[in-house]
Amino acid sequence: MFLRIQPSSSDPLFEQIVFGVKRAVASGELAAGERLDSVRDLAKQLAINPNTVAKAYAELESQGVIVRRQGAGCFVAERSSPLSDRERNKRLSQLVERLVIEAFHLDFSPPEIRAAVLARLDLHASDQGTSP
Amino acid sequence: MFLRIQPSSSDPLFEQIVFGVKRAVASGELAAGERLDSVRDLAKQLAINPNTVAKAYAELESQGVIVRRQGAGCFVAERSSPLSDRERNKRLSQLVERLVIEAFHLDFSPPEIRAAVLARLDLHASDQGTSP
DNA sequence: GAACGGTACTAGAACACATGGTACAGTGTG
DNA sequence: CACACTGTACCATGTGTTCTAGTACCGTTC
């Protein structure tokens, strides 16, 4: 399992792990049912404390990304979001709103934002259409 | 100047202010050159410490969103991003990447993500095309 | 000059982050 | 069964951020 961590970043280590795993799952690098590195192994690889990895894994489970089985390990969940449709749509709106506003202050025009999103989504259009 | 703050949120107060101002500017609610509420006034309105507002304003200035003039007040900047084109494009990519990955784990398909972004951008298509 | 701006300190409480260590319970395998 | 490995749950500690509180200084505006 490949995961890079930047200790220089202002983002907390455990959040970097959370997003790194999410990215690996979304890209298909980690398939559903696949086992993650153990808490102790990943901590050793990244040269950080096992408690920090455990915190990241707990967060990932609460988001429905992985399943933790005591004694066995952590595995990529089959289906993801445990949220209601209303909550899912609300969060998607917030994500889009944040993108648009931050991009606006980076001096990008709506057509430029639109192009960036479409380019990113079309990258994997030739796949099964499941993993962006 | 309308700004709502949620003390219950896990987001820091000063970051809520930063995003709130950014949103107001992006929506056109705050026009370029317009004066913001003073540090002390806004602090009183929101019932928080003036230092917290000052921190938010300092952050907004460092991002090129506003200009602070000692003794006069804070004003919405004319042009925004002080970053290089390379840095701007890098950040846009990161924003899009985050949106796509988080939306994926909310069980949204690429077409749904695409539709959400287009809907948000088309909302203001009838304007001059400057403020999303 | 007076009132109102931003700016800059100091100090402290509360919290988050990360580390280190220990211990316990469930799982899988030889 | 015994053993190694897994997640889980604590505790304690150090560090940094967030927020509050108070004070003070300097520039702008009228």
Side-chain angles (χ1 to χ4, degrees):
Chain A
M1 191 174 96
F2 303 139
L3 255 186
R4 267 173 275 169
I5 295 299
Q6 293 170 325
S8 60
S9 168
S10 64
D11 292 339
L13 292 176
F14 83 94
E15 279 188 12
Q16 293 186 46
I17 297 173
V18 167
F19 188 71
V21 171
K22 278 183 165 184
R23 167 187 299 224
V25 172
S27 73
E29 185 185 333
L30 277 174
E34 193 169 342
R35 188 172 171 280
L36 303 183
D37 288 342
S38 78
V39 165
R40 292 172 178 82
D41 271 3
L42 185 55
K44 195 165 283 184
Q45 284 176 39
L46 302 177
I48 63 177
N49 196 283
N51 286 335
T52 304
V53 177
K55 182 175 182 179
Y57 280 6
E59 173 67 17
L60 282 165
E61 185 177 51
S62 80
Q63 292 186 22
V65 178
I66 70 173
V67 175
R68 297 185 294 174
R69 286 172 44 205
Q70 184 164 339
C74 293
F75 305 84
V76 178
E78 297 297 331
R79 313 201 84 196
S80 191
S81 179
L83 302 174
S84 68
D85 281 6
R86 189 176 308 276
E87 183 65 21
R88 287 173 54 238
N89 282 303
K90 178 184 165 192
R91 300 212 182 181
L92 178 61
S93 291
Q94 289 176 341
L95 287 168
V96 173
E97 182 78 357
R98 175 161 293 272
L99 162 69
V100 170
I101 290 180
E102 297 293 349
F104 171 84
H105 287 288
L106 285 170
D107 286 343
F108 286 108
S109 67
E112 285 172 318
I113 302 170
R114 169 193 161 112
V117 173
L118 294 186
R120 176 61 180 79
L121 289 175
D122 286 349
L123 275 181
H124 300 258
S126 53
D127 299 352
Q128 299 87 343
T130 54
S131 49
Chain B
M1 191 173 96
F2 302 140
L3 256 185
R4 267 173 275 168
I5 295 300
Q6 293 171 325
S8 59
S9 168
S10 64
D11 292 339
L13 293 176
F14 82 94
E15 279 189 12
Q16 293 184 46
I17 297 173
V18 167
F19 188 71
V21 171
K22 279 183 165 184
R23 168 186 298 221
V25 173
S27 72
E29 185 185 334
L30 278 173
E34 192 168 343
R35 188 171 170 283
L36 303 183
D37 289 342
S38 78
V39 166
R40 292 172 176 83
D41 272 3
L42 186 54
K44 195 165 283 184
Q45 284 177 38
L46 302 177
I48 63 177
N49 195 283
N51 287 335
T52 304
V53 178
K55 183 175 182 180
Y57 280 7
E59 173 67 18
L60 283 165
E61 185 177 52
S62 78
Q63 292 185 23
V65 178
I66 70 174
V67 174
R68 297 185 294 175
R69 285 173 44 206
Q70 183 163 340
C74 293
F75 304 85
V76 177
E78 296 298 330
R79 311 201 85 196
S80 191
S81 179
L83 302 174
S84 68
D85 281 6
R86 190 176 306 277
E87 183 65 22
R88 287 172 55 239
N89 282 302
K90 178 184 164 191
R91 300 212 184 180
L92 178 61
S93 292
Q94 288 175 341
L95 286 168
V96 173
E97 182 79 357
R98 175 162 293 275
L99 163 68
V100 170
I101 290 180
E102 297 294 348
F104 170 83
H105 287 288
L106 285 170
D107 286 342
F108 286 107
S109 68
E112 285 173 318
I113 301 171
R114 168 192 162 114
V117 172
L118 293 186
R120 176 60 180 79
L121 289 175
D122 286 348
L123 275 181
H124 299 259
S126 51
D127 300 352
Q128 299 87 345
T130 54
S131 50

